[in-house]
Amino acid sequence: MSGLTLFLADEPATVAFGTKLAEVTGGHGVIFLEGDLGAGKTTLSRGLIRGLGHDGPVKSPTFTVVEPYEIGDIRAFHFDLYRLVDPEELEFMGIRDYFEDDALCLFEWPDKGAGVLPKPDLTITISPQAGGRSLNLSPQGVRGEAWCAVLAKEFKQ
């Protein structure tokens, strides 16, 4: 399967998509979220993390770089690399430790970590469109392709 493009009309639709993505991933894998400031990366992340069963607030880790979530047996990490100056900073924070045990790792601004981050299972590019958002899902391997196949059935346009 190649990529998948979806249109989400508003913020609740973006959160709902994140919730479905949580179900599809089972709380495992690497997802890159790309898009301009205000595109909806954190909104989608919020839906995904709440979809995994987290009850509390989900905020953008712009200043902390990573926000960890322990949800039952699931370990999820939400990264925001916007303020990263050099990808080497990720090595100093022990980035490789976050990929143990097949945790779910969401990366906003993944281009800032080029050369250090692993290959994603899925890259989601979010763009404004007609008052809502257009999502372009690009699977980067077998796992991402399986996710897209399920999502294509769920979100037929």
Side-chain angles (χ1 to χ4, degrees):
M1 159 172 224
S2 58
L4 174 66
T5 301
L6 305 171
F7 175 75
L8 303 175
D10 51 23
E11 185 170 327
T14 304
V15 170
F17 173 80
T19 301
K20 184 61 182 179
L21 186 58
E23 180 184 318
V24 170
T25 66
H28 304 285
V30 176
I31 300 173
F32 286 3
L33 300 173
E34 300 177 338
D36 292 337
L37 279 172
K41 298 179 296 295
T42 300
T43 300
L44 194 153
S45 296
R46 183 178 315 114
L48 198 159
I49 292 164
R50 286 192 180 145
L52 292 172
H54 178 71
D55 291 334
V58 177
K59 58 186 181 345
S60 177
T62 302
F63 295 100
T64 58
V65 180
V66 62
E67 191 68 40
Y69 297 91
E70 303 278 335
I71 309 158
D73 293 338
I74 295 172
R75 294 171 55 240
F77 301 99
H78 179 197
F79 294 85
D80 184 333
L81 307 183
Y82 183 72
R83 297 193 178 281
L84 208 63
V85 175
D86 184 327
E88 282 298 306
E89 292 176 54
L90 294 171
E91 293 288 1
F92 297 127
M93 67 178 274
I95 190 73
R96 296 182 199 298
D97 295 342
Y98 291 96
F99 306 122
E100 292 176 358
D101 302 324
D102 199 24
L104 178 67
C105 294
L106 303 172
F107 287 95
E108 296 187 32
W109 304 98
D111 55 313
K112 303 265 190 174
V116 176
L117 299 181
K119 179 180 163 191
D121 295 301
L122 181 65
T123 298
I124 301 175
T125 304
I126 307 172
S127 309
Q129 179 186 342
R133 297 175 174 102
S134 171
L135 270 60
N136 182 17
L137 284 67
S138 301
Q140 308 292 314
V142 174
R143 186 187 299 200
E145 288 188 16
W147 295 345
C148 282
V150 173
L151 293 167
K153 291 177 188 167
E154 183 77 19
F155 291 91
K156 285 185 230 165
Q157 303 264 318

